[in-house]
Amino acid sequence: QASERLRGHAAQLPTWFPKGSGAEAGVKTGARPEIWSDAAGFADAASRLRTATAALHISAQAGAVDVMRQRARAVGQACQACHTAYREED
């Protein structure tokens, strides 16, 4: 169930930051301006996350625990890469 939720969130992610929804709209956000100015890069990062979460979900459905561990690390790496590029430090 968790892998299905991750897969669903990854699919929705590109819609969470539409153009004009940042600080210029008066919205307090933890997103860096690059999320909008580098839309192609953000879309690519989101695509990598979708691919990683889909692979994780497949291995979860198969019950392949060792493969799931590897794929969970890939999901974490995809998350970290996007956060590093497009999320403000806390």
Side-chain angles (χ1 to χ4, degrees):
Q1 290 174 333
S3 68
E4 178 62 26
R5 273 194 311 276
L6 280 172
R7 191 172 73 144
H9 288 297
Q12 294 172 5
L13 181 64
T15 68
W16 294 347
F17 302 95
K19 185 174 178 140
S21 64
E24 73 279 0
V27 176
K28 182 173 171 44
T29 178
R32 291 183 176 178
E34 290 82 3
I35 206 164
W36 296 279
S37 66
D38 181 20
F42 178 64
D44 185 51
S47 177
R48 287 192 304 273
L49 179 63
R50 281 192 310 277
T51 299
T53 58
L56 174 63
H57 183 64
I58 290 167
S59 61
Q61 286 181 311
V65 176
D66 289 337
V67 176
M68 283 174 47
R69 286 186 182 114
Q70 292 173 336
R71 291 182 174 170
R73 282 191 291 278
V75 169
Q77 290 168 347
C79 289
Q80 184 62 41
C82 190
H83 281 202
T84 298
Y86 300 107
R87 184 177 183 188
E88 293 290 345
E89 296 287 326
D90 290 331

Coordinates of all heavy atoms in Angstrom, one line a residue:
Q1 N 0.8 -1.2 0.0 CA 0.0 0.0 0.0 C 0.9 1.3 0.0 O 0.5 2.2 -0.7 CB -0.9 0.0 1.2 CG -2.0 -1.0 1.1 CD -2.8 -1.1 2.4 OE1 -2.4 -0.7 3.5 NE2 -4.1 -1.5 2.3
A2 N 1.9 1.2 0.7 CA 2.8 2.4 0.8 C 3.5 2.7 -0.5 O 3.6 3.8 -1.0 CB 3.9 2.2 1.9
S3 N 3.9 1.6 -1.2 CA 4.5 1.8 -2.6 C 3.5 2.4 -3.6 O 3.8 3.2 -4.4 CB 5.1 0.5 -3.1 OG 4.1 -0.4 -3.4
E4 N 2.2 2.0 -3.4 CA 1.2 2.5 -4.3 C 0.9 4.0 -4.0 O 0.8 4.8 -4.9 CB -0.1 1.8 -4.1 CG -1.3 2.3 -4.9 CD -1.0 2.2 -6.4 OE1 -0.3 1.4 -6.9 OE2 -1.6 3.0 -7.2
R5 N 1.0 4.4 -2.7 CA 0.8 5.8 -2.4 C 2.0 6.6 -2.9 O 1.8 7.7 -3.5 CB 0.7 6.0 -0.8 CG -0.7 5.9 -0.3 CD -0.8 6.4 1.1 NE 0.2 5.9 2.0 CZ 0.1 4.7 2.7 NH1 -0.9 3.9 2.5 NH2 1.1 4.3 3.5
L6 N 3.2 6.1 -2.8 CA 4.4 6.8 -3.3 C 4.3 7.0 -4.8 O 4.5 8.1 -5.3 CB 5.7 6.0 -3.0 CG 6.3 6.2 -1.6 CD1 7.4 5.2 -1.4 CD2 6.7 7.6 -1.4
R7 N 3.8 6.0 -5.5 CA 3.7 6.0 -6.9 C 2.6 7.1 -7.3 O 2.8 7.9 -8.2 CB 3.3 4.7 -7.5 CG 3.3 4.5 -9.0 CD 3.1 3.1 -9.4 NE 1.7 2.8 -9.2 CZ 1.1 2.0 -10.0 NH1 1.7 1.4 -11.1 NH2 -0.2 1.7 -9.8
G8 N 1.5 7.1 -6.6 CA 0.5 8.1 -6.8 C 1.0 9.6 -6.6 O 0.7 10.5 -7.4
H9 N 1.7 9.8 -5.5 CA 2.3 11.1 -5.2 C 3.3 11.5 -6.3 O 3.3 12.7 -6.7 CB 2.9 11.2 -3.8 CG 1.9 11.1 -2.7 ND1 1.0 12.1 -2.5 CD2 1.8 10.2 -1.7 CE1 0.3 11.8 -1.4 NE2 0.7 10.6 -0.9
A10 N 4.1 10.6 -6.7 CA 5.1 10.9 -7.7 C 4.4 11.3 -9.0 O 4.8 12.2 -9.7 CB 6.0 9.7 -8.0
A11 N 3.3 10.7 -9.4 CA 2.5 11.1 -10.6 C 1.9 12.4 -10.4 O 1.8 13.2 -11.4 CB 1.4 10.0 -10.8
Q12 N 1.5 12.8 -9.2 CA 0.8 14.1 -9.0 C 1.8 15.3 -8.9 O 1.5 16.4 -9.1 CB 0.0 14.1 -7.8 CG -1.2 13.2 -7.8 CD -1.8 13.0 -6.4 OE1 -1.5 13.7 -5.5 NE2 -2.8 12.1 -6.4
L13 N 3.1 15.0 -8.5 CA 4.1 16.0 -8.2 C 4.2 17.1 -9.2 O 4.2 18.3 -8.8 CB 5.4 15.3 -7.9 CG 6.6 16.3 -7.5 CD1 6.3 16.9 -6.2 CD2 7.9 15.5 -7.5
P14 N 4.2 16.9 -10.5 CA 4.4 18.0 -11.4 C 3.2 19.0 -11.3 O 3.4 20.2 -11.7 CB 4.4 17.3 -12.8 CG 4.9 15.9 -12.5 CD 4.3 15.6 -11.1
T15 N 2.1 18.6 -10.9 CA 0.9 19.5 -10.8 C 0.9 20.3 -9.6 O 0.1 21.3 -9.5 CB -0.4 18.7 -10.9 OG1 -0.6 17.9 -9.7 CG2 -0.4 17.8 -12.1
W16 N 1.7 20.1 -8.6 CA 1.7 20.8 -7.3 C 2.4 22.2 -7.4 O 2.2 23.0 -6.5 CB 2.4 20.0 -6.3 CG 1.7 18.7 -5.9 CD1 0.5 18.3 -6.2 CD2 2.3 17.6 -5.2 NE1 0.2 17.0 -5.7 CE2 1.3 16.6 -5.1 CE3 3.5 17.4 -4.5 CZ2 1.5 15.4 -4.4 CZ3 3.7 16.2 -3.9 CH2 2.7 15.2 -3.8
F17 N 3.1 22.5 -8.5 CA 3.8 23.7 -8.6 C 3.5 24.4 -9.9 O 4.4 24.7 -10.7 CB 5.3 23.5 -8.4 CG 5.6 22.9 -7.1 CD1 5.8 21.5 -7.0 CD2 5.8 23.6 -6.0 CE1 6.1 20.9 -5.8 CE2 6.1 23.0 -4.7 CZ 6.3 21.6 -4.7
P18 N 2.3 24.8 -10.2 CA 2.0 25.4 -11.5 C 2.6 26.8 -11.6 O 2.9 27.4 -10.6 CB 0.4 25.5 -11.5 CG 0.0 25.5 -10.1 CD 1.1 24.6 -9.4
K19 N 2.9 27.2 -12.8 CA 3.5 28.5 -13.1 C 2.6 29.6 -12.4 O 1.4 29.5 -12.4 CB 3.5 28.8 -14.6 CG 4.2 30.0 -14.9 CD 4.4 30.2 -16.4 CE 5.0 31.5 -16.6 NZ 6.0 31.5 -17.7
G20 N 3.3 30.5 -11.7 CA 2.6 31.6 -11.0 C 2.2 31.2 -9.6 O 1.5 32.0 -8.9
S21 N 2.5 30.1 -9.1 CA 2.1 29.7 -7.7 C 3.1 29.9 -6.7 O 3.0 29.4 -5.5 CB 1.6 28.2 -7.7 OG 2.7 27.3 -8.0
G22 N 4.2 30.6 -7.0 CA 5.3 30.8 -6.0 C 5.2 32.1 -5.3 O 4.1 32.6 -5.1
A23 N 6.3 32.6 -4.9 CA 6.3 33.8 -4.1 C 5.7 35.0 -4.8 O 5.1 35.9 -4.1 CB 7.8 34.1 -3.7
E24 N 5.8 35.0 -6.1 CA 5.2 36.2 -6.8 C 3.7 36.2 -6.7 O 3.1 37.3 -6.9 CB 5.6 36.1 -8.3 CG 4.9 35.0 -9.1 CD 5.5 33.6 -9.0 OE1 6.5 33.5 -8.3 OE2 5.0 32.7 -9.6
A25 N 3.1 35.1 -6.3 CA 1.7 35.1 -6.1 C 1.3 35.3 -4.6 O 0.2 35.3 -4.2 CB 1.1 33.7 -6.5
G26 N 2.4 35.6 -3.8 CA 2.1 35.9 -2.4 C 2.0 34.6 -1.6 O 1.6 34.7 -0.4
V27 N 2.4 33.5 -2.1 CA 2.3 32.2 -1.4 C 3.6 32.0 -0.7 O 4.7 32.1 -1.3 CB 2.0 31.1 -2.5 CG1 2.0 29.8 -1.8 CG2 0.8 31.4 -3.2
K28 N 3.5 31.6 0.6 CA 4.7 31.2 1.3 C 5.0 29.8 0.9 O 4.1 28.9 1.0 CB 4.4 31.3 2.8 CG 5.6 30.9 3.7 CD 5.3 31.2 5.1 CE 6.3 30.6 6.1 NZ 7.7 30.8 5.8
T29 N 6.2 29.6 0.4 CA 6.5 28.2 -0.1 C 8.0 27.9 0.3 O 8.8 28.8 0.4 CB 6.4 28.2 -1.6 OG1 6.8 26.9 -2.1 CG2 7.2 29.3 -2.3
G30 N 8.2 26.6 0.4 CA 9.5 26.1 0.6 C 10.3 25.8 -0.7 O 11.4 25.3 -0.6
A31 N 9.6 26.0 -1.8 CA 10.2 25.7 -3.1 C 11.1 26.9 -3.5 O 10.8 28.0 -3.3 CB 9.1 25.6 -4.1
R32 N 12.2 26.5 -4.1 CA 13.1 27.5 -4.7 C 12.5 28.0 -6.0 O 11.8 27.3 -6.6 CB 14.5 26.8 -5.0 CG 15.2 26.5 -3.7 CD 16.6 25.9 -4.1 NE 17.3 25.6 -2.9 CZ 18.5 25.1 -2.8 NH1 19.1 24.8 -4.0 NH2 19.1 24.9 -1.7
P33 N 12.9 29.2 -6.3 CA 12.4 29.8 -7.6 C 12.7 28.9 -8.8 O 12.0 28.9 -9.8 CB 13.1 31.2 -7.7 CG 13.5 31.5 -6.3 CD 13.7 30.2 -5.6
E34 N 13.8 28.1 -8.7 CA 14.2 27.3 -9.8 C 13.1 26.2 -10.2 O 13.1 25.7 -11.3 CB 15.5 26.6 -9.5 CG 16.7 27.5 -9.5 CD 16.9 28.2 -8.2 OE1 16.1 28.0 -7.2 OE2 17.8 29.0 -8.1
I35 N 12.2 25.9 -9.3 CA 11.2 25.0 -9.6 C 10.3 25.5 -10.7 O 9.8 24.7 -11.5 CB 10.3 24.6 -8.4 CG1 9.7 23.2 -8.5 CG2 9.3 25.6 -8.1 CD1 9.2 22.6 -7.2
W36 N 10.2 26.8 -10.9 CA 9.4 27.4 -11.9 C 10.3 27.9 -13.1 O 10.0 27.7 -14.3 CB 8.6 28.6 -11.4 CG 7.6 28.2 -10.4 CD1 6.4 27.6 -10.7 CD2 7.7 28.2 -9.0 NE1 5.7 27.3 -9.5 CE2 6.5 27.7 -8.5 CE3 8.7 28.6 -8.1 CZ2 6.3 27.5 -7.1 CZ3 8.5 28.5 -6.7 CH2 7.3 28.0 -6.3
S37 N 11.5 28.4 -12.8 CA 12.4 28.9 -13.8 C 13.1 27.8 -14.6 O 13.5 28.0 -15.7 CB 13.4 29.9 -13.3 OG 14.3 29.2 -12.4
D38 N 13.2 26.6 -14.0 CA 13.8 25.5 -14.6 C 12.7 24.4 -14.7 O 12.9 23.3 -14.2 CB 15.0 25.0 -13.8 CG 15.7 23.8 -14.5 OD1 15.5 23.5 -15.7 OD2 16.4 23.1 -13.7
A39 N 11.6 24.7 -15.3 CA 10.5 23.8 -15.4 C 10.9 22.5 -16.1 O 10.5 21.4 -15.7 CB 9.3 24.4 -16.1
A40 N 11.8 22.5 -17.1 CA 12.2 21.3 -17.8 C 13.0 20.4 -16.8 O 12.8 19.2 -16.8 CB 13.0 21.6 -19.0
G41 N 13.9 21.0 -16.1 CA 14.7 20.2 -15.1 C 13.8 19.6 -14.0 O 14.0 18.5 -13.6
F42 N 12.8 20.4 -13.5 CA 11.9 19.9 -12.5 C 11.1 18.7 -13.1 O 10.9 17.7 -12.5 CB 11.0 21.0 -12.0 CG 10.0 20.5 -11.0 CD1 10.4 20.0 -9.8 CD2 8.6 20.5 -11.3 CE1 9.5 19.5 -8.9 CE2 7.7 20.1 -10.3 CZ 8.1 19.6 -9.1
A43 N 10.6 18.9 -14.4 CA 9.8 17.8 -15.0 C 10.7 16.5 -15.1 O 10.2 15.4 -14.9 CB 9.3 18.3 -16.4
D44 N 12.0 16.7 -15.5 CA 12.9 15.6 -15.6 C 13.1 14.9 -14.2 O 13.0 13.7 -14.1 CB 14.2 16.0 -16.1 CG 15.1 14.9 -16.4 OD1 14.7 13.9 -17.1 OD2 16.3 14.9 -15.9
A45 N 13.2 15.7 -13.2 CA 13.4 15.1 -11.8 C 12.1 14.4 -11.4 O 12.2 13.3 -10.8 CB 13.7 16.2 -10.8
A46 N 11.0 14.9 -11.7 CA 9.7 14.3 -11.4 C 9.6 13.0 -12.2 O 9.0 12.0 -11.6 CB 8.5 15.2 -11.7
S47 N 10.0 13.0 -13.4 CA 9.9 11.8 -14.2 C 10.8 10.7 -13.6 O 10.4 9.5 -13.6 CB 10.4 12.1 -15.7 OG 10.4 10.9 -16.4
R48 N 12.0 11.0 -13.2 CA 12.9 10.0 -12.5 C 12.2 9.5 -11.3 O 12.4 8.3 -11.0 CB 14.3 10.7 -12.2 CG 15.1 10.9 -13.5 CD 16.6 11.2 -13.2 NE 16.7 12.4 -12.3 CZ 16.8 13.6 -12.8 NH1 16.7 13.9 -14.0 NH2 17.0 14.6 -11.9
L49 N 11.6 10.3 -10.5 CA 10.9 9.8 -9.3 C 9.7 8.9 -9.7 O 9.5 7.8 -9.1 CB 10.3 11.0 -8.5 CG 9.6 10.6 -7.2 CD1 10.5 9.8 -6.3 CD2 9.0 11.8 -6.6
R50 N 9.0 9.2 -10.7 CA 7.9 8.4 -11.2 C 8.4 7.0 -11.6 O 7.9 5.9 -11.2 CB 7.1 9.0 -12.4 CG 6.1 10.0 -11.9 CD 5.2 10.4 -13.1 NE 5.8 10.7 -14.3 CZ 6.3 11.9 -14.6 NH1 6.2 12.9 -13.7 NH2 6.9 12.2 -15.8
T51 N 9.5 7.0 -12.3 CA 10.1 5.7 -12.7 C 10.6 4.9 -11.5 O 10.3 3.7 -11.5 CB 11.3 6.0 -13.7 OG1 10.8 6.7 -14.8 CG2 12.0 4.7 -14.1
A52 N 11.2 5.6 -10.6 CA 11.7 4.9 -9.4 C 10.6 4.3 -8.6 O 10.7 3.2 -8.1 CB 12.6 5.8 -8.6
T53 N 9.5 5.1 -8.4 CA 8.4 4.6 -7.5 C 7.6 3.5 -8.2 O 7.2 2.6 -7.6 CB 7.5 5.7 -7.1 OG1 6.9 6.4 -8.3 CG2 8.2 6.7 -6.2
A54 N 7.6 3.5 -9.6 CA 6.9 2.5 -10.3 C 7.7 1.2 -10.1 O 7.1 0.1 -9.9 CB 6.7 2.8 -11.8
A55 N 9.0 1.2 -10.2 CA 9.8 0.0 -10.1 C 9.7 -0.5 -8.7 O 9.6 -1.7 -8.5 CB 11.3 0.4 -10.4
L56 N 9.7 0.4 -7.7 CA 9.5 -0.1 -6.3 C 8.2 -0.8 -6.1 O 8.1 -1.8 -5.5 CB 9.6 1.1 -5.3 CG 9.3 0.8 -3.9 CD1 10.3 -0.1 -3.3 CD2 9.3 2.1 -3.1
H57 N 7.2 -0.2 -6.7 CA 5.8 -0.8 -6.6 C 5.8 -2.2 -7.2 O 5.2 -3.1 -6.6 CB 4.8 0.1 -7.2 CG 3.4 -0.4 -7.0 ND1 2.8 -0.5 -5.8 CD2 2.5 -0.8 -7.9 CE1 1.6 -1.0 -5.9 NE2 1.4 -1.2 -7.2
I58 N 6.4 -2.4 -8.3 CA 6.4 -3.7 -9.0 C 7.1 -4.7 -8.1 O 6.6 -5.8 -7.9 CB 7.1 -3.6 -10.4 CG1 6.2 -2.8 -11.3 CG2 7.5 -5.0 -10.9 CD1 6.9 -2.4 -12.6
S59 N 8.2 -4.3 -7.5 CA 8.9 -5.3 -6.6 C 8.2 -5.5 -5.4 O 8.2 -6.7 -4.8 CB 10.4 -4.8 -6.3 OG 10.4 -3.6 -5.7
A60 N 7.4 -4.5 -4.9 CA 6.6 -4.7 -3.7 C 5.5 -5.7 -4.0 O 5.2 -6.6 -3.1 CB 6.1 -3.4 -3.2
Q61 N 4.9 -5.6 -5.1 CA 3.8 -6.5 -5.5 C 4.3 -7.9 -5.6 O 3.6 -8.9 -5.3 CB 3.1 -6.0 -6.8 CG 2.2 -4.8 -6.7 CD 1.6 -4.5 -8.0 OE1 2.3 -4.4 -9.0 NE2 0.3 -4.3 -7.9
A62 N 5.5 -8.1 -6.1 CA 6.1 -9.4 -6.3 C 6.6 -10.0 -4.9 O 7.0 -11.1 -4.9 CB 7.2 -9.3 -7.3
G63 N 6.7 -9.1 -3.9 CA 7.3 -9.6 -2.6 C 8.8 -9.8 -2.7 O 9.3 -10.5 -1.9
A64 N 9.4 -9.1 -3.6 CA 10.9 -9.3 -3.8 C 11.6 -8.3 -2.8 O 12.0 -7.2 -3.2 CB 11.3 -9.0 -5.2
V65 N 11.8 -8.8 -1.6 CA 12.3 -7.9 -0.5 C 13.7 -7.3 -0.8 O 13.9 -6.1 -0.7 CB 12.3 -8.6 0.8 CG1 12.9 -7.7 1.9 CG2 10.9 -9.0 1.2
D66 N 14.6 -8.1 -1.3 CA 16.0 -7.6 -1.6 C 15.9 -6.6 -2.7 O 16.6 -5.5 -2.7 CB 16.9 -8.7 -2.0 CG 17.3 -9.6 -0.8 OD1 17.2 -9.1 0.4 OD2 17.6 -10.8 -1.0
V67 N 15.1 -6.8 -3.7 CA 14.9 -5.9 -4.8 C 14.3 -4.6 -4.3 O 14.6 -3.5 -4.7 CB 14.2 -6.5 -6.0 CG1 13.9 -5.5 -7.1 CG2 14.9 -7.7 -6.6
M68 N 13.3 -4.8 -3.5 CA 12.6 -3.6 -2.9 C 13.6 -2.7 -2.2 O 13.5 -1.5 -2.3 CB 11.5 -4.1 -1.9 CG 10.2 -4.5 -2.5 SD 9.1 -5.2 -1.4 CE 9.0 -4.0 -0.1
R69 N 14.5 -3.3 -1.4 CA 15.5 -2.5 -0.7 C 16.3 -1.6 -1.7 O 16.5 -0.4 -1.5 CB 16.4 -3.4 0.1 CG 15.7 -3.9 1.3 CD 16.7 -4.7 2.2 NE 16.0 -5.2 3.4 CZ 15.9 -6.5 3.6 NH1 16.4 -7.4 2.8 NH2 15.2 -6.9 4.6
Q70 N 16.8 -2.2 -2.8 CA 17.5 -1.5 -3.8 C 16.7 -0.4 -4.4 O 17.1 0.7 -4.6 CB 18.0 -2.5 -4.9 CG 19.0 -3.5 -4.4 CD 19.3 -4.5 -5.5 OE1 18.5 -4.7 -6.4 NE2 20.5 -5.1 -5.5
R71 N 15.5 -0.7 -4.7 CA 14.6 0.3 -5.4 C 14.2 1.4 -4.4 O 14.0 2.5 -4.8 CB 13.4 -0.4 -6.0 CG 13.9 -1.3 -7.2 CD 12.8 -2.0 -7.9 NE 13.4 -2.6 -9.1 CZ 12.7 -3.5 -9.9 NH1 11.4 -3.8 -9.6 NH2 13.3 -4.0 -10.9
A72 N 14.0 1.0 -3.1 CA 13.7 2.1 -2.1 C 14.9 3.1 -2.0 O 14.6 4.3 -1.9 CB 13.4 1.5 -0.8
R73 N 16.1 2.6 -2.1 CA 17.3 3.5 -2.2 C 17.2 4.4 -3.4 O 17.5 5.6 -3.3 CB 18.6 2.7 -2.1 CG 18.9 2.2 -0.7 CD 20.3 1.7 -0.6 NE 20.6 0.5 -1.4 CZ 20.3 -0.8 -0.9 NH1 19.7 -0.9 0.3 NH2 20.5 -1.8 -1.7
A74 N 16.8 3.8 -4.5 CA 16.7 4.6 -5.8 C 15.6 5.7 -5.6 O 15.8 6.8 -6.1 CB 16.4 3.7 -7.0
V75 N 14.5 5.4 -4.9 CA 13.5 6.4 -4.7 C 14.0 7.5 -3.8 O 13.9 8.7 -4.1 CB 12.2 5.7 -4.0 CG1 11.3 6.8 -3.5 CG2 11.5 4.8 -5.0
G76 N 14.7 7.1 -2.8 CA 15.4 8.1 -1.9 C 16.3 9.0 -2.6 O 16.4 10.2 -2.3
Q77 N 17.1 8.4 -3.5 CA 18.0 9.2 -4.3 C 17.3 10.2 -5.2 O 17.7 11.4 -5.3 CB 19.0 8.3 -5.1 CG 20.0 7.6 -4.2 CD 20.7 6.5 -5.0 OE1 20.3 6.1 -6.1 NE2 21.7 5.9 -4.3
A78 N 16.2 9.8 -5.8 CA 15.4 10.7 -6.6 C 14.8 11.8 -5.8 O 14.8 12.9 -6.3 CB 14.3 9.9 -7.4
C79 N 14.3 11.5 -4.7 CA 13.7 12.5 -3.8 C 14.8 13.5 -3.4 O 14.6 14.7 -3.5 CB 13.2 11.9 -2.5 SG 11.7 10.9 -2.7
Q80 N 16.0 13.0 -3.0 CA 17.0 13.9 -2.5 C 17.5 14.8 -3.6 O 17.8 16.0 -3.4 CB 18.2 13.1 -2.0 CG 19.3 13.9 -1.4 CD 18.9 14.7 -0.2 OE1 18.1 14.3 0.6 NE2 19.3 16.0 -0.1
A81 N 17.7 14.3 -4.8 CA 18.2 15.1 -5.9 C 17.2 16.2 -6.2 O 17.6 17.4 -6.4 CB 18.3 14.2 -7.2
C82 N 15.9 15.9 -6.2 CA 14.9 17.0 -6.4 C 14.9 18.0 -5.3 O 14.9 19.2 -5.5 CB 13.6 16.4 -6.6 SG 12.3 17.5 -7.2
H83 N 14.9 17.5 -4.1 CA 14.9 18.4 -2.9 C 16.2 19.3 -2.9 O 16.1 20.5 -2.6 CB 14.8 17.7 -1.6 CG 13.4 17.2 -1.3 ND1 13.0 16.9 -0.1 CD2 12.4 17.0 -2.1 CE1 11.8 16.5 -0.1 NE2 11.4 16.5 -1.3
T84 N 17.3 18.8 -3.3 CA 18.5 19.6 -3.3 C 18.4 20.7 -4.3 O 18.8 21.8 -4.1 CB 19.7 18.6 -3.6 OG1 19.9 17.7 -2.6 CG2 21.0 19.4 -3.7
A85 N 17.8 20.4 -5.5 CA 17.8 21.4 -6.5 C 16.6 22.4 -6.4 O 16.7 23.5 -6.8 CB 17.7 20.7 -7.9
Y86 N 15.5 21.9 -5.8 CA 14.2 22.7 -5.9 C 13.6 23.0 -4.6 O 12.5 23.6 -4.6 CB 13.3 21.9 -6.8 CG 13.8 21.8 -8.2 CD1 14.2 20.5 -8.7 CD2 13.9 22.8 -9.1 CE1 14.8 20.3 -9.9 CE2 14.5 22.7 -10.3 CZ 14.9 21.4 -10.8 OH 15.4 21.3 -12.0
R87 N 14.2 22.6 -3.5 CA 13.6 22.9 -2.2 C 14.5 23.7 -1.3 O 15.7 23.4 -1.2 CB 13.3 21.6 -1.5 CG 12.5 21.8 -0.2 CD 12.2 20.4 0.4 NE 11.4 20.5 1.6 CZ 11.1 19.5 2.4 NH1 11.5 18.3 2.1 NH2 10.4 19.8 3.5
E88 N 13.9 24.7 -0.7 CA 14.7 25.6 0.2 C 15.2 24.7 1.4 O 14.5 23.8 1.8 CB 13.9 26.7 0.8 CG 13.5 27.8 -0.3 CD 14.7 28.6 -0.8 OE1 15.8 28.6 -0.1 OE2 14.6 29.2 -1.8
E89 N 16.3 25.1 2.0 CA 16.8 24.4 3.2 C 15.8 24.8 4.4 O 15.3 25.9 4.4 CB 18.2 24.9 3.6 CG 19.2 24.5 2.6 CD 19.6 23.1 2.6 OE1 19.6 22.4 3.6 OE2 19.9 22.5 1.5
D90 N 15.6 23.8 5.2 CA 14.7 24.0 6.4 C 15.5 24.8 7.5 O 16.6 24.8 7.6 CB 14.3 22.7 7.0 CG 13.2 22.0 6.1 OD1 12.5 22.7 5.3 OD2 13.2 20.8 6.1

